[in-house]
């Protein structure tokens, strides 16, 4: 039977929630299209993960040189303008590379913003395209604080494109974007003040570790105001005045609104087809299917319990490739998904959190990172890890703060995902010496 539609599957959005599955799906023989109104690849490659880690790399070098003073001499000073130019050089080729990969697999790329006309039809500009199945993978947008003068604040994308680093920066919010960019801006020489919405930062991470990281940030000159309750932003001859609390004021040169991200659903015409969504995102079942039978969703646009991160979107996108190509009929089964805050030191976690252990079912093992000889090679003085084991010594959770916490958690991930026994762990012969070997030694 001939397909009466232009495409078998059409994706709205080209981020990890789409391209990781769209390419393989087209290569499997399906007729696939991707609609994108911004940069191919979405947030992560262009103005998210890849851009951020490029800006952060000199900070890591700076911290290393700082720890090794006496063994090496001289301080590392960050040239902000050169760093931003370097960041742009690193990420500029990515949209074309991702787009080329898609088209080589047979994906049709449609440039423009898509809006539903009906359950099988999307309008892009003045053209309409039809598809048997449609996947919404439009991600999230920066939240904007709802106070007078909100237009004086900028989002994370604007921060990463600053040619000149402002001297005084006010950051609204204390989630991972706030904490990461506060670290980078401070390391590059800015005076940074973080106005917290609550009394705790990074509320989804182990709070004693967060407090240790914040103590280090404070020592470096970053100021934190808990429960700031920002009421207005005002432009004056002295700069931008942030009004907060009980008639308190802070004058800065530039404001970063890091108060969160919201699902990108408002311009899709979902009301035209009745797809259900709420303030957290689009509602889906265990097959990532919306309440409209032929429409699916993946990535950060979903309302879900799993962390809204690139690895989650990638997993969902690949799952939909398997489902829509007929290679599986099973519901999605999420693995343990790690997450990291790229402060210096990092905070990373995966699996069962130590604070979730309430009885003797699980055992929590503490390791002080500087006690390990490998971490003494670069003179680390701070850092801890908490490992959660079940009664049979299967690793079920890990959280760490250290200079290389993300690498440690990545190394431990297979033990949790595959429920490895102690004997199976000993079958892993890691390169030595290396961070992976140091992390693995703790669980064997």
């Amino acid at each position: 039977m001939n397909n009466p539609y232009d495409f078998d599957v059409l994706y709205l959005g080209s981020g990890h929630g789409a391209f990781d599955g769209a390419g393989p799906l087209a290569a499997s023989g399906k007729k696939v299209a991707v609609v994108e109104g911004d940069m191919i690849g979405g947030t992560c490659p262009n103005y998210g993960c890849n851009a951020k880690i490029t800006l952060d790399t000199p900070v890591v070098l700076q911290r290393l040189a700082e720890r090794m003073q006496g063994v090496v001499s001289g301080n590392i000073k960050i040239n902000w303008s050169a760093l931003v130019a370097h960041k742009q050089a690193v990420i500029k080729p990515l949209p074309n590379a991702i787009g080329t990969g898609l088209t080589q697999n047979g994906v049709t790329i449609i440039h423009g913003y898509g809006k539903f006309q009906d359950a099988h039809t999307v309008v892009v500009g003045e053209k309409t395209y039809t598809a048997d199945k449609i996947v919404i993978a439009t991600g999230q947008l920066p939240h904007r604080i709802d106070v007078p003068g909100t237009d004086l604040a900028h989002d994370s994308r604007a921060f990463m494109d600053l040619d000149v680093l402002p001297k005084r920066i006010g950051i609204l919010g204390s989630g991972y974007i706030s904490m990461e960019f506060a670290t980078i801006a401070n390391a590059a020489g800015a005076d940074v003040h973080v106005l917290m919405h609550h009394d705790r930062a990074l509320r989804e991470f182990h709070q004693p570790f967060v407090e240790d990281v914040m103590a280090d940030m404070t020592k470096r000159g970053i100021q934190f105001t808990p429960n700031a309750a920002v009421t207005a932003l005002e432009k004056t001859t002295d700069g931008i005045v942030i009004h907060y609390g009980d008639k308190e004021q802070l004058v800065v040169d530039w404001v970063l609104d890091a108060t969160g991200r919201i699902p990108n659903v408002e311009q899709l015409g979902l009301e035209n087809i009745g797809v259900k969504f709420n303030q957290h995102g689009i509602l889906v079942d265990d097959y990532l299917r919306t309440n409209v039978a032929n429409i699916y969703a993946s990535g950060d646009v979903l309302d879900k319990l799993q962390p809204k991160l690139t690895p989650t979107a990638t997993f969902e996108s690949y799952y939909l490739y398997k489902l829509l190509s007929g290679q599986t009929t099973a519901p999605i089964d999420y693995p343990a998904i790690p997450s990291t805050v790229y402060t210096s030191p990092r905070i990373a976690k995966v699996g069962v959190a130590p604070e979730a252990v309430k009885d003797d079912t699980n055992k929590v093992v503490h390791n002080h990172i500087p006690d390990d000889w490998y971490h003494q090679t670069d003179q680390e003085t701070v850092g801890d890890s908490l490992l959660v084991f079940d009664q049979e010594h299967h690793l079920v959770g890990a959280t760490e703060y250290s200079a290389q916490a993300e690498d440690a958690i990545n190394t431990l991930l297979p033990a949790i995902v595959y429920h490895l026994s102690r004997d199976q762990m000993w079958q892993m012969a890691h390169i030595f010496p290396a961070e992976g070997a140091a992390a693995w030694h703790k669980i064997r």
Side-chain angles (χ1 to χ4, degrees):
M1 181 177 178
N2 292 329
N3 185 349
Y5 303 105
D6 297 327
F7 300 100
D8 296 311
V9 183
L10 182 144
Y11 290 80
L12 291 175
S14 67
H16 280 282
F19 77 78
D20 285 302
L25 187 59
S28 75
K30 296 292 185 181
K31 193 174 183 182
V32 178
V34 168
V35 177
E36 177 56 67
D38 198 350
M39 302 175 76
I40 297 296
T43 297
C44 184
N46 296 303
Y47 41 90
C49 326
N50 300 47
K52 172 187 70 181
I53 205 66
T54 307
L55 294 179
D56 178 71
T57 299
V59 183
V60 175
L61 179 61
Q62 189 183 66
R63 297 289 197 265
L64 176 59
E66 177 185 286
R67 293 197 301 272
M68 296 295 288
Q69 286 299 305
V71 177
V72 300
S73 300
N75 298 318
I76 301 293
K77 183 177 181 180
I78 296 173
N79 182 328
W80 179 262
S81 298
L83 175 57
V84 171
H86 170 61
K87 180 269 301 182
Q88 189 57 29
V90 169
I91 67 172
K92 186 177 180 179
L94 296 178
N96 183 63
I98 295 168
T100 298
L102 288 171
T103 55
Q104 287 178 343
N105 276 319
V107 176
T108 299
I109 296 178
I110 301 168
H111 295 278
Y113 293 95
K115 184 174 184 178
F116 281 101
Q117 186 177 83
D118 59 48
H120 290 280
T121 307
V122 169
V123 179
V124 183
E126 297 180 354
K127 295 183 178 180
T128 59
Y129 302 90
T130 61
D132 181 23
K133 295 179 174 63
I134 298 175
V135 179
I136 304 171
T138 49
Q140 293 182 301
L141 296 171
H143 173 268
R144 298 307 299 264
I145 189 169
D146 186 16
V147 298
T150 186
D151 58 309
L152 296 172
H154 306 269
D155 62 22
S156 57
R157 184 172 181 176
F159 173 83
M160 290 187 284
D161 285 340
L162 283 169
D163 292 326
V164 177
L165 186 68
K167 178 58 180 175
R168 302 170 297 176
I169 297 178
I171 301 180
L172 313 182
S174 54
Y176 71 94
I177 292 176
S178 167
M179 299 293 278
E180 290 172 350
F181 288 4
T183 298
I184 294 169
N186 167 261
D191 296 327
V192 180
H193 196 128
V194 177
L195 295 105
M196 303 165 60
H197 185 62
H198 301 283
D199 60 351
R200 295 186 301 161
L202 301 170
R203 289 179 294 162
E204 295 181 356
F205 287 81
H206 186 60
Q207 284 301 296
F209 290 178
V210 173
E211 290 166 5
D212 286 339
V213 170
M214 289 179 68
D216 180 76
M217 295 171 73
T218 300
K219 182 179 68 176
R220 296 176 184 280
I222 298 173
Q223 299 181 65
F224 292 92
T225 299
N227 300 308
V230 173
T231 56
L233 305 177
E234 179 187 6
K235 188 174 181 61
T236 69
T237 55
D238 294 328
I240 299 172
V241 179
I242 303 175
H243 297 269
Y244 69 97
D246 185 17
K247 298 183 179 179
E248 295 178 90
Q249 297 181 359
L250 171 68
V251 182
V252 297
D253 301 309
W254 202 85
V255 179
L256 170 63
D257 186 342
T259 53
R261 294 177 66 80
I262 57 176
N264 183 13
V265 296
E266 295 299 333
Q267 305 301 318
L268 297 178
L270 298 184
E271 66 281 358
N272 296 336
I273 53 174
V275 167
K276 293 181 179 179
F277 65 94
N278 57 34
Q279 63 179 340
H280 303 295
I282 294 174
L283 304 174
V284 296
D285 62 15
D286 291 339
Y287 298 87
L288 302 186
R289 182 174 50 207
T290 71
N291 60 299
V292 178
N294 70 297
I295 298 177
Y296 298 76
S298 67
D300 290 357
V301 76
L302 296 184
D303 176 10
K304 58 189 174 187
L305 297 176
Q306 290 74 25
K308 295 190 176 187
L309 300 169
T310 291
T312 319
T314 297
F315 185 84
E316 291 162 349
S317 183
Y318 191 77
Y319 165 77
L320 282 180
Y321 147 62
K322 302 282 282 188
L323 182 71
L324 300 179
S325 64
Q327 298 180 58
T328 186
T329 58
I332 191 168
D333 183 16
Y334 286 98
I337 297 173
S339 57
T340 302
V341 184
Y342 286 91
T343 48
S344 289
R346 319 293 205 206
I347 310 176
K349 65 173 184 173
V350 66
V352 177
E355 55 268 23
V357 177
K358 305 296 184 183
D359 52 35
D360 295 334
T361 304
N362 294 315
K363 176 183 179 182
V364 179
V365 176
H366 170 259
N367 295 282
H368 186 50
I369 300 300
D371 290 343
D372 183 273
W373 78 268
Y374 181 76
H375 294 275
Q376 293 168 13
T377 63
D378 65 357
Q379 302 192 154
E380 290 186 52
T381 59
V382 299
D384 290 279
S385 75
L386 294 172
L387 305 175
V388 183
F389 296 90
D390 67 14
Q391 292 179 333
E392 287 75 40
H393 197 75
H394 298 111
L395 184 70
V396 295
T399 184
E400 176 168 323
Y401 91 98
S402 70
Q404 301 178 70
E406 74 276 34
D407 293 330
I409 295 301
N410 262 341
T411 299
L412 300 178
L413 189 59
I416 296 176
V417 171
Y418 296 110
H419 205 56
L420 297 182
S421 67
R422 176 169 272 164
D423 285 343
Q424 288 171 321
M425 291 178 192
W426 275 101
Q427 296 303 307
M428 299 289 180
H430 285 83
I431 290 173
F432 182 89
E435 175 60 28
W440 204 255
H441 176 75
K442 295 182 181 69
I443 67 173
R444 293 192 307 192

